Amino acid sequence: MRLSDCHNFQDFRKLAQKRLPGPIFNYIDGAADDEVTYRENTASFDRCDLLPSVLQGVNEVDMSVTVMGQKLDMPIYCSPTALQRLFHHDGERAVGAAAEKFGTMFGVSSLGTVSLEEMRKKHKTPQVYQFYFHKDRGLNKAMMQRAKEAGVDVMMLTVDSITGGNRERDLRTGFSIPFKLTLGGMIQFAIRPMWGINYVTHEKFSLPQLDEFVDMSGGASSIGGYFSEMLDPSMNWDDVAEMVRDWDGQFCLKGVMTAEDARRAVDIGCTGIVLSNHGGRQLDGSRTPFDQLKEIVDEVGDEIDVIMDSGIQRGTHVLKALSLGAKAVGGGRFYLYPLAAAGQPGVERALGLMRAEIERGMKLMGVKRVDQLTPENLRFR
């Protein structure tokens, strides 16, 4: 199977599975507990049907959107995700370059493997910094100041991860940073030698956002330890209100799932919220963002930019979310599998296919602009 044989999300997933050692593939592919929420995230779109309008004279479509002050040429962006240079040695560099080519936003994580500064210097496209809240308040302030100096456009605070989810696939394979592999996990690396060759012949793996603050070389300061020991489970609305004031710019909460929390985000001055259950990786059995979208848009949609992620695999999923009032959608696995499979050309192919699907879908729906998509275009079963 080659990159040119990939035509959709599942094709990229299969190619990534062929290229990656099992523990790393399962880190991307896996989710919490029984992975019910992970499956439901995509299934939720299937419970809703599009209702097209015909004879609308749609020869050109404009799929651009403005979200949190950022103009995007397409309504899907590359959500910030951790550890990208583990999946492909170019990591964030490949994703940022592909996002710029398609005129969309990308994110760098606190657990990113390329520095905020490098990505900001290289790419003019809007850049999000996905931030974790640490027990050390001085560290939080220092990291925010660094992001401001780097010229990051949007601060995105993750609020659904005060502890790590129970990802049993990782427990079975021994996936951690640094690796503590089980025998089965080691065998998986042995049968994918190209990954290992690339890993050792390219720049040493690091976490530049955290390197000066956290020792990731072993013991309790592994990734699991980072979540359980460095992050602050006592984080509350007052802490976030202070962060919003300190940042004094586009500030977004990622992981909001109730209308009440959306209202509080508005009250403390956030400019955006991302409805997300972390791709099913945190609280299994939680509701899907798509199923919560209408309720939250009805509550705050005219006061704050509502975005959603989790489960997006198709252009029609994007159109359904936009019809319910999302300003844009984020995707993680939708570009991580192509990144793992083929680096920057893979991410570009995924974005190109997604853009073509959205354009085709808009034409078939009879709409020329994203703002013409409304709840009238949908029927729920």
Side-chain angles (χ1 to χ4, degrees), residues 222-280:
S222 65
I223 294 294
Y226 172 77
F227 276 94
S228 59
E229 292 173 26
M230 297 282 298
L231 301 191
D232 189 353
S234 73
M235 170 174 65
N236 61 37
W237 286 100
D238 293 337
D239 295 321
V240 179
E242 185 182 344
M243 274 187 82
V244 172
R245 286 193 298 273
D246 287 349
W247 178 252
D248 191 26
Q250 297 289 343
F251 197 106
C252 176
L253 295 188
K254 178 176 180 286
V256 170
M257 285 294 289
T258 68
E260 294 78 13
D261 285 347
R263 168 59 53 206
R264 294 193 76 167
V266 172
D267 292 344
I268 63 169
C270 294
T271 55
I273 51 173
V274 183
L275 278 59
S276 174
N277 55 35
H278 222 97

Side-chain angles (χ1 to χ4, degrees), residues 20 71 74 162 191 202 219 221 239 259 289 294 320 353 372:
L20 286 177
K71 186 159 192 305
M74 57 193 287
I162 57 170
I191 62 177
H202 289 83
S221 290
D239 295 321
K294 182 181 186 307
K320 289 174 182 182
L353 288 168
Q372 293 175 323

Side-chain angles (χ1 to χ4, degrees), residues 74 78 98-99 102 104 334 347-356:
M74 57 193 287
C78 297
F102 283 83
T104 194
F334 109 93
V347 182
E348 287 181 10
R349 184 162 175 84
L351 284 167
L353 288 168
M354 185 60 87
R355 182 173 65 185

Side-chain angles (χ1 to χ4, degrees), residues 44-51 287-288 290-294 320-321 323-324 374-381:
S44 61
F45 291 100
D46 298 337
R47 298 191 282 271
C48 165
D49 300 319
L50 292 165
L51 208 58
R287 193 158 160 83
T288 76
F290 184 66
D291 285 330
Q292 276 301 89
L293 184 55
K294 182 181 186 307
K320 289 174 182 182
S323 295
L324 279 187
T374 73
E376 293 300 303
N377 302 132
L378 302 179
R379 293 292 183 274
F380 283 84
R381 293 181 190 175

Side-chain angles (χ1 to χ4, degrees), residues 44-89:
S44 61
F45 291 100
D46 298 337
R47 298 191 282 271
C48 165
D49 300 319
L50 292 165
L51 208 58
S53 295
V54 298
L55 302 175
Q56 298 300 308
V58 183
N59 46 353
E60 292 290 317
V61 305
D62 174 7
M63 66 177 79
S64 66
V65 294
T66 300
V67 59
M68 292 180 296
Q70 316 309 308
K71 186 159 192 305
L72 313 184
D73 292 344
M74 57 193 287
I76 185 167
Y77 65 92
C78 297
S79 295
T81 57
L83 312 182
Q84 289 181 21
R85 282 203 296 118
L86 268 192
F87 316 141
H88 184 278
H89 52 81

Side-chain angles (χ1 to χ4, degrees), residues 32-152:
D33 293 356
D34 298 311
E35 304 189 353
V36 173
T37 293
Y38 176 22
R39 292 189 295 274
E40 277 297 297
N41 281 339
T42 301
S44 61
F45 291 100
D46 298 337
R47 298 191 282 271
C48 165
D49 300 319
L50 292 165
L51 208 58
S53 295
V54 298
L55 302 175
Q56 298 300 308
V58 183
N59 46 353
E60 292 290 317
V61 305
D62 174 7
M63 66 177 79
S64 66
V65 294
T66 300
V67 59
M68 292 180 296
Q70 316 309 308
K71 186 159 192 305
L72 313 184
D73 292 344
M74 57 193 287
I76 185 167
Y77 65 92
C78 297
S79 295
T81 57
L83 312 182
Q84 289 181 21
R85 282 203 296 118
L86 268 192
F87 316 141
H88 184 278
H89 52 81
D90 286 336
E92 289 88 348
R93 295 178 182 119
V95 178
E100 183 167 55
K101 201 165 179 178
F102 283 83
T104 194
M105 188 161 71
F106 72 96
V108 178
S109 168
S110 291
L111 291 167
T113 54
V114 177
S115 75
L116 286 172
E117 291 84 356
E118 178 187 331
M119 297 307 294
R120 186 67 292 176
K121 282 194 189 97
K122 272 189 180 164
H123 304 296
K124 298 289 171 275
T125 193
Q127 182 170 325
V128 170
Y129 182 30
Q130 179 266 327
F131 193 84
Y132 286 118
F133 193 86
H134 302 87
K135 289 175 184 169
D136 181 342
R137 299 298 202 268
L139 170 56
N140 290 331
K141 281 199 160 55
M143 289 176 78
M144 278 180 64
Q145 185 58 32
R146 178 178 168 180
K148 195 172 269 302
E149 287 168 8
V152 166

